[in-house]
Amino acid sequence: MDARGSFVLAVLTLLSASATGGCSSVDLPAAQPGHRRLLQDTNLAARWMHIPVHPVAAHVPPSGSGSFPASSSQPRRNHPNEVAPPPADLSGHGRSELHYLSRSKRWLYWIVLPAVGLLLVSALACWLLPCRKSAVATIGPWKTGLSGQLQKAFVTGVPKLQLSELERACEDFSNIVASYPHYTVYKGTLSSGVEIAVVSTMITSSDEWSEHSESCFRKKIDSLSRMNHKNFINLLGFCEEEEPFTRMMVLEYAPNGTLYESLHDEDFEHIGWRGRMRIIMGLAYCIQHMHELNPPVAHPDLQSSSILLSEDGAAKIVDMSVWHEVISKGKPPANGETDRHHEQVSAALAENVYSFGVLLLEIISGKLPDPAHSLVSSALECINTGDRSMVCLLDPTLKDHKEDELAVIGKVIHACIQSDPRNRPSMREITARLREAIGISPVAATPRLSPLWWAELEVLSAAEAS
């Protein structure tokens, strides 16, 4: 038991002792009355009941016949010739009875009620202490899995982090994972051992960072902070300083590279059919989640290089578009262009559906999509054959594919790559159709080994296990 639990029990013990001690000196039972008092009580009772009193009543033993008779619930009617006893006759025993009742009530106030209160407090304490221990056990991994700054991300939102902390985590920014024209990705390790990705703009001067750049940066932080999906590389924090000029985002780290590398680079481990189906379902669940946010969010560049793989091979979508947007000359829509903005969002959602269809093609064929859309044309030719089969496009390294799943994927691809965006299905419809055929639940499609998902450890569903 911890210190707080011991303190609660000590307080309860003191309360119990004080309650018992307070009533011991005042609530002792009254001494037994003598024979003379019993005789007076007996005479009084006899007069009330109209029973003649004989001298033998004086020899009544101390117990038994001298007790006060029980009162009736209905008032007794007097006889017409009967004279009611004067009130003075009640002066002796009446005061004794009232005094006894007063003592009984005092006994109730000083003993019974405190005892009931102590029982209730004890029951409440016994109920709260296990709940408190359970709550501590739930959030314990926060303290062991994340640094002090990053713990705040799960309590108050996305935190602003210090450059010095990120500098220590990334070994003075010497641990470079990837470098692109507009941004650099560093790998960092917190003192707790949790790995993070720190993405920094290549702009090194505030003179090159315009108001448009700052607006794009902050809007992207707001957008990413609302994502909150396990198949998405979530934002953990950001850093902004003027001297030296710094704009950084801190993201989850996915150690197994991109889907593009796993599909097309021979140095990466080959992904089997079941692994690819799990990636497909993870992507479908995540994109549906993005499209159903309020307001909806469309991924600006959905392709295999924008999909990372977790340690256990689950898909993790990442959005790095902000680093290109901050150097662009585009302007956000004005207030009078709201309708046009909604049209642009709808078009972007439909474009995501098309890109998802192309991703399905790339995943099952192992072939690169090209600007000339020859892969899409080949897929349409296969689908438009009599048996509507996708076997002609299937990756030859896949020896364990399932015909029924492949057939459904072919139909979904055909629906997604319709030239008219209005004829393309929603992601909710696509996800429902794929799940019915493939049978991988949202839980089974999410990473199981990521240290950042301390809140709940998930296992594959029974459907996937079978």
Side-chain angles (χ1 to χ4, degrees), residues 378-385 388-390 410-411 413-414 417:
S378 300
L380 289 174
E381 290 178 6
C382 289
I383 294 172
N384 289 332
T385 58
R388 303 177 66 85
S389 175
M390 293 289 295
K411 295 177 181 178
I413 292 174
H414 183 263
I417 60 177

Side-chain angles (χ1 to χ4, degrees), residues 172-361:
D172 295 330
F173 298 115
S174 62
N175 195 356
I176 299 176
V177 175
S179 183
Y180 301 95
H182 306 306
Y183 62 96
T184 303
V185 182
Y186 304 95
K187 178 183 176 182
T189 305
L190 302 177
S191 58
S192 58
V194 174
E195 295 179 332
I196 57 174
V198 179
V199 188
S200 175
T201 179
M202 296 294 288
I203 297 177
T204 58
S205 172
S206 57
D207 296 336
E208 303 175 19
W209 190 264
S210 64
E211 292 183 3
H212 168 74
S213 302
E214 186 69 14
S215 175
C216 291
F217 182 72
R218 292 188 174 275
K219 286 183 177 181
K220 184 60 67 174
I221 289 175
D222 177 69
S223 175
L224 295 179
S225 68
R226 297 189 295 113
M227 211 60 65
N228 193 27
H229 195 277
K230 294 183 179 181
N231 289 106
F232 194 90
I233 295 291
N234 286 287
L235 179 68
L236 303 178
F238 68 98
C239 176
E240 56 175 6
E241 295 189 8
E242 301 304 321
E243 191 61 40
F245 182 83
T246 304
R247 293 295 186 274
M248 294 180 173
M249 290 186 182
V250 182
L251 308 170
E252 295 179 71
Y253 182 75
N256 277 1
T258 66
L259 176 61
Y260 177 92
E261 293 169 322
S262 294
L263 291 175
H264 309 297
D265 194 329
E266 295 180 356
D267 294 335
F268 281 74
E269 184 179 356
H270 176 263
I271 306 175
W273 177 260
R274 197 59 179 171
R276 299 190 192 196
M277 296 301 100
R278 184 167 177 242
I279 290 173
I280 287 174
M281 292 309 305
L283 295 175
Y285 290 130
C286 186
I287 299 172
Q288 177 188 341
H289 171 79
M290 295 170 63
H291 287 194
E292 294 180 353
L293 290 173
N294 186 22
V297 176
H299 195 286
D301 189 25
L302 191 59
Q303 53 182 320
S304 58
S305 59
S306 300
I307 300 167
L308 304 178
L309 298 180
S310 67
E311 189 174 355
D312 63 327
K316 302 277 286 186
I317 300 176
V318 64
D319 181 4
M320 295 291 189
S321 60
V322 64
W323 308 111
H324 176 75
E325 294 171 1
V326 297
I327 64 171
S328 66
K329 303 300 181 181
K331 296 181 179 180
N335 294 334
E337 299 178 354
T338 304
D339 293 339
R340 181 185 174 189
H341 176 66
H342 288 323
E343 292 176 0
Q344 291 175 344
V345 171
S346 299
L349 298 179
E351 184 64 25
N352 274 184
V353 173
Y354 181 90
S355 299
F356 181 74
V358 176
L359 267 173
L360 292 182
L361 268 176

Side-chain angles (χ1 to χ4, degrees), residues 50 76-85:
H50 304 286
R76 179 178 175 270
R77 294 181 178 273
N78 291 331
H79 192 273
N81 298 324
E82 185 176 348
V83 179

